[in-house]
């Protein structure tokens, strides 16, 4: 899957959401069990504006992503919580890093919007410790129950790639 769509907020800010097939080597690892598996990476980029993104825009993004994933029974969604805007957020008296905030936001949005579907979806969080940044980083896989046997493979691949990249720096 390779496509993108735009979300325009009431304030005129433009968010571009791209979906691209990802991790082809995982597909090779599980190709006999899931020959049509497509792991799709989600990229969310603010292209225009600097207003806070309203929850309605995030909700629309989540609805579209779940709808697209439902159209293909062999799709697993993948998202890495980025740190492009390093603005900490306050929550329950505790400061969250931008990465932690995006992690919690992503998880809650997809749990909320996937509950309205006919299938059960599971959010698999992968947490990585960055000693260089002195904080935890997060990524997520959103998958159907029939793909749960892949959780360990998916997590290991992300952790191994993160470790490999971290050691290069």
């Amino acid at each position: 899957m390779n496509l993108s769509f735009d979300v325009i907020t009431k304030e005129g800010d433009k968010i571009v959401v791209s979906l691209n097939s990802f991790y082809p080597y995982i597909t090779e690892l599980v190709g006999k069990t899931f020959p049509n598996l497509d792991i799709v990476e989600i990229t969310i980029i603010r292209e225009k504006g600097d207003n806070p993104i309203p929850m309605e825009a995030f909700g629309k993004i989540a609805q579209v992503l779940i709808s697209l994933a439902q159209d293909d029974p062999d799709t697993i969604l993948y998202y890495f919580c980025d740190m492009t805007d390093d603005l900490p957020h306050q929550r329950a008296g505790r400061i969250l890093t931008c990465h932690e905030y995006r992690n919690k936001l992503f998880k809650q949005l997809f749990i909320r919007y996937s509950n309205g579907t006919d299938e059960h979806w599971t959010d698999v969080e992968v947490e990585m410790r960055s000693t260089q940044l002195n904080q935890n980083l997060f990524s997520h896989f959103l998958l159907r129950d029939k793909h749960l046997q892949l959780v360990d493979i998916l997590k290991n691949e992300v952790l191994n790639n993160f470790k490999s990249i971290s050691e290069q720096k």
Side-chain angles (χ1 to χ4, degrees), residues 1 3 63-75 119 121 144:
M1 179 183 304
L3 61 93
Q63 285 177 318
V64 171
L65 293 173
I66 292 293
S67 176
L68 289 169
Q70 278 190 284
D71 290 344
D72 183 350
D74 287 313
T75 294
E119 296 178 275
W121 293 79
R144 292 169 172 85

Side-chain angles (χ1 to χ4, degrees), residues 45-89:
I45 298 173
R46 180 195 304 261
E47 191 171 278
K48 177 184 169 198
D50 58 5
N51 295 298
I53 299 173
M55 290 308 293
E56 297 84 26
F58 285 120
K60 182 175 181 173
I61 291 168
Q63 285 177 318
V64 171
L65 293 173
I66 292 293
S67 176
L68 289 169
Q70 278 190 284
D71 290 344
D72 183 350
D74 287 313
T75 294
I76 294 175
L77 298 176
Y78 171 77
Y79 179 73
F80 178 77
C81 301
D82 72 332
M83 300 178 301
T84 54
D85 300 321
D86 193 17
L87 299 173
H89 299 273

Side-chain angles (χ1 to χ4, degrees), residues 125-158:
E125 178 183 299
V126 182
E127 185 173 353
M128 301 148 282
R129 180 71 185 163
S130 171
T131 53
Q132 293 169 326
L133 299 173
N134 193 29
Q135 62 178 283
N136 293 339
L137 307 177
F138 303 89
S139 63
H140 291 263
F141 289 97
L142 189 67
L143 45 85
R144 292 169 172 85
D145 284 351
K146 73 177 186 176
H147 295 126
L148 285 175
Q149 61 187 315
L150 301 176
V151 167
D152 289 337
I153 293 171
L154 296 170
K155 283 178 125 177
N156 286 336
E157 286 301 317
V158 168

Side-chain angles (χ1 to χ4, degrees), residues 21 32 34 49 55 98 114 118 124 133 146 149:
S21 292
K32 291 180 181 170
F34 297 101
M55 290 308 293
C98 190
S114 65
D118 294 336
V124 176
L133 299 173
K146 73 177 186 176
Q149 61 187 315

Side-chain angles (χ1 to χ4, degrees), residues 9-47:
T9 66
K10 291 177 187 174
E11 295 81 13
D13 291 7
K14 181 179 179 182
I15 297 107
V16 178
V17 182
S18 300
L19 294 98
N20 297 292
S21 292
F22 188 60
Y23 277 128
Y25 51 89
I26 292 179
T27 305
E28 290 174 17
L29 289 173
V30 298
K32 291 180 181 170
T33 308
F34 297 101
N36 299 315
L37 183 68
D38 191 12
I39 300 171
V40 177
E41 181 177 28
I42 303 163
T43 305
I44 302 172
I45 298 173
R46 180 195 304 261
E47 191 171 278

